Amino acid sequence: MAIDFTLGPELEDLRVRVREFIQGVVKPGEAQIGDPDHIERADYIRILLQMRAEAKAAGLWLPHMPAEWGGMGLGHVELAMVQAEAAKSYYGPWVLNCQAPDEGNMHTLLHWATDAQKEKYLRPLCEGVAMSCFAMTEPEVAGSDPTLIQTRAVLDGDDWVINGHKWFISNARRASFAILIARTEDNPERPQAANTGFIVDIPSEGWTRVREVETMHGATGHSEIRIENLRVPRANVLGERGQGHRLGQYRLGPARLAHCMRWIAQAETALDMMVDRSLKRFAHGSLLAEKQGIQWMIADSTMELYQAKLMVLHAAYRIDRGLDFISEVSMAKHFVANALGRIIDRSIQVHGALGYSTDTPLAHMYQHARWARFADGPDEVHQMRIAQRTIAAYTKEGSTRAATGDLPL
Ligand SMILES: Cc1cc2nc3c(=O)[nH]c(=O)nc-3n(C[C@H](O)[C@H](O)[C@H](O)COP(=O)(O)OP(=O)(O)OC[C@H]3O[C@@H](n4cnc5c(N)ncnc54)[C@H](O)[C@@H]3O)c2cc1C
């Protein structure tokens, strides 16, 4: 029997260790921080760094990176388990150094960077002494179609000179470098081959942080960047010329799935809270948990979370086995992002006014969940690609089976 959902004793032990670490170290640290807007910056940093030191000491550092980079060398199925435990706390993934956008950037550098680039940029990220950002989206053109990118890089001697405009660049204010995607090719063979990736040191002359974009969850580190005559040495091209789109796609596959793993943790927290509240709140002659209207919300959320877990595990399994995973990651990303929003929404409903308040984490989680439906590929673009693959599978094989996870069913 090849399909086995049990974990070996080593993995079960790892899962328990992550869970206990989050409960015993990160949750108390989170409670100590409280509202990050109301704590002294120095205390905030001290608490975070202390938790990171404890994660390293506990051997729970960089779960997604190979051992030679100081990581735990986990595959994607194993990583799913760790991320789903870590993200039970808002700070968990950061403490374990497997948070976006650094995590996706580490994958990208590991795969595409030269040895010299890895030593200079990947090493400090892995050691936790530097942070990074990924700069692709532009205000003037649709971010969901990278063939429209207008930021332009032109070769001038040994340097590339770059001009353009980016926004929503997460982490830019703290980053010591950016992976920047810019247009370099005028008449590429395919429209997707117009862009190239560059590593940009921050600060650099010509890279200007204009403002932090205020969002529905505050101004929490998504910057608008003006790029004016920024000079980047040839040695800082990441991958080959014209491979910017492939680089973005390579980064986004595992990075999208890692988001899903963290969203599962959030959805599970919301469902746990929904059930807990329904067992404690009494109205109209019975507990909320005894009312069919509430049971339907619990049942729908339970089924959706179950589907989310299966989809994520299967997509991770395909990545680990070197199988094509693009469609499975697309389907998982779309499904989990939407399920997350629905489950948190139901949990807020069951909590009533308390759910709308900031006394529980639900309001904060709801604001973040809204972002999930369009960042890293809007719902509709994933649906378009999923449908294209289903139609192609049917056209080629007379059956849609290959497009539904290529499962033996
Ligand atoms: C909190 C946050 C953090 C982010 N961090 C980063 C970052 O670090 N780096 C970075 O580069 N970007 C980042 N982004 C930007 C994000 O990747 C983009 O928002 C996303 O790619 C969509 O691009 P857009 O906002 O330009 O929307 P658009 O591309 O303008 O799309 C708008 C809407 O149009 C519709 N649409 C688009 N294409 C189709 C289609 N083919 N069919 C039907 N409908 C369609 C969808 O409904 C979509 O939501 C971040 C965004 C947020 C909100």
Side-chain angles (χ1 to χ4, degrees):
M1 182 66 182
I3 301 171
D4 183 354
F5 286 97
T6 57
L7 297 177
E10 260 180 47
L11 275 181
E12 188 52 41
D13 174 63
L14 173 63
R15 183 164 57 171
V16 171
R17 282 202 295 130
V18 178
R19 185 173 296 172
E20 286 176 355
F21 183 80
I22 297 298
Q23 281 303 329
V25 176
V26 185
K27 290 268 185 185
E30 189 177 329
Q32 238 184 311
I33 290 171
D35 181 346
D37 290 336
H38 293 107
I39 181 172
E40 288 290 329
R41 183 88 191 140
D43 289 335
Y44 179 69
I45 304 280
R46 181 182 48 75
I47 296 167
L48 286 178
L49 292 182
Q50 175 60 30
M51 289 194 283
R52 274 195 156 189
E54 290 190 46
K56 270 187 189 170
L60 300 176
W61 183 250
L62 282 179
H64 57 295
M65 290 299 282
E68 62 265 33
W69 291 92
M72 295 164 68
L74 301 182
H76 287 82
V77 170
E78 297 158 337
L79 189 59
M81 228 176 55
V82 171
Q83 288 273 21
E85 293 294 341
K88 287 280 167 71
S89 157
Y90 178 71
Y91 296 104
W94 194 86
V95 171
L96 271 50
N97 199 5
C98 57
Q99 76 292 350
D102 287 342
E103 182 229 18
N105 288 346
M106 288 185 219
H107 279 304
T108 309
L109 291 169
L110 187 65
H111 188 78
W112 294 90
T114 62
D115 287 346
Q117 289 171 342
K118 283 181 189 167
E119 274 313 313
K120 185 166 176 196
Y121 297 103
L122 179 57
R123 182 76 64 197
L125 272 193
C126 292
E127 288 172 353
V129 295
M131 290 193 243
S132 64
C133 62
F134 186 78
M136 187 152 109
T137 307
E138 304 179 355
E140 293 82 7
V141 288
S144 48
D145 183 355
T147 66
L148 302 175
I149 282 176
Q150 291 181 347
T151 295
R152 176 117 212 142
V154 178
L155 201 52
D156 179 28
D158 269 348
D159 289 342
W160 286 89
V161 180
I162 309 180
N163 282 282
H165 191 192
K166 301 282 180 186
W167 80 337
F168 272 94
I169 309 310
S170 307
N171 226 18
R173 69 176 170 192
R174 303 181 196 95
S176 58
F177 70 92
I179 296 178
L180 169 73
I181 305 296
R183 188 178 185 89
T184 51
E185 312 306 312
D186 280 328
N187 295 304
E189 271 180 26
R190 294 179 307 124
Q192 289 87 343
N195 302 328
T196 299
F198 297 89
I199 307 178
V200 177
D201 288 306
I202 303 174
S204 272
E205 211 182 313
W207 171 280
T208 308
R209 199 156 52 80
V210 179
R211 62 169 176 146
E212 294 302 291
V213 183
E214 182 87 22
T215 71
M216 66 163 82
H217 63 264
T220 51
H222 313 294
S223 308
E224 179 179 342
I225 309 287
R226 275 269 169 218
I227 301 166
E228 288 161 316
N229 296 325
L230 170 72
R231 297 191 82 86
V232 176
R234 267 178 201 256
N236 278 30
V237 169
L238 184 57
E240 303 283 327
R241 265 181 83 153
Q243 285 192 339
H245 185 69
R246 285 188 60 207
L247 188 140
Q249 285 305 318
Y250 183 86
R251 174 185 188 279
L252 282 176
R256 279 178 180 139
L257 201 61
H259 275 315
C260 294
M261 297 167 187
R262 293 185 285 262
W263 294 338
I264 282 174
Q266 296 284 296
E268 194 162 82
T269 299
L271 178 55
D272 286 351
M273 290 177 67
M274 191 191 309
V275 174
D276 190 64
R277 183 71 177 172
S278 74
L279 288 167
K280 291 177 179 151
R281 199 69 164 171
F282 185 91
H284 302 281
S286 65
L287 287 172
L288 295 184
E290 292 166 322
K291 297 181 190 300
Q292 197 175 43
I294 302 295
Q295 289 171 354
W296 285 352
M297 286 197 253
I298 293 171
D300 288 346
S301 304
T302 304
M303 290 186 285
E304 287 176 6
L305 188 51
Y306 177 43
Q307 291 169 70
K309 289 179 180 182
L310 287 177
M311 289 174 95
V312 166
L313 281 176
H314 185 239
Y317 162 97
R318 290 188 69 88
I319 299 180
D320 281 348
R321 272 163 186 70
L323 301 168
D324 183 6
F325 58 80
I326 293 179
S327 235
E328 287 73 16
V329 169
S330 248
M331 290 190 279
K333 195 272 170 179
H334 182 288
F335 185 81
V336 185
N338 282 273
L340 174 70
R342 289 191 294 266
I343 294 170
I344 298 172
D345 182 63
R346 291 183 197 118
S347 193
I348 290 174
Q349 187 69 11
V350 172
H351 281 76
L354 174 63
Y356 194 71
S357 78
T358 53
D359 287 1
T360 81
L362 289 169
H364 185 239
M365 285 158 63
Y366 196 52
Q367 288 163 332
H368 279 269
R370 189 62 191 83
W371 155 89
R373 286 191 49 215
F374 56 84
D376 283 3
D379 281 357
E380 296 79 4
V381 175
H382 287 293
Q383 285 168 299
M384 176 179 77
R385 298 278 178 237
I386 293 162
Q388 284 168 348
R389 290 195 187 95
T390 307
I391 294 164
Y394 184 81
T395 310
K396 191 169 160 214
E397 294 164 29
S399 163
T400 55
R401 174 183 284 186
T404 54
D406 206 11
L407 291 160
L409 282 178

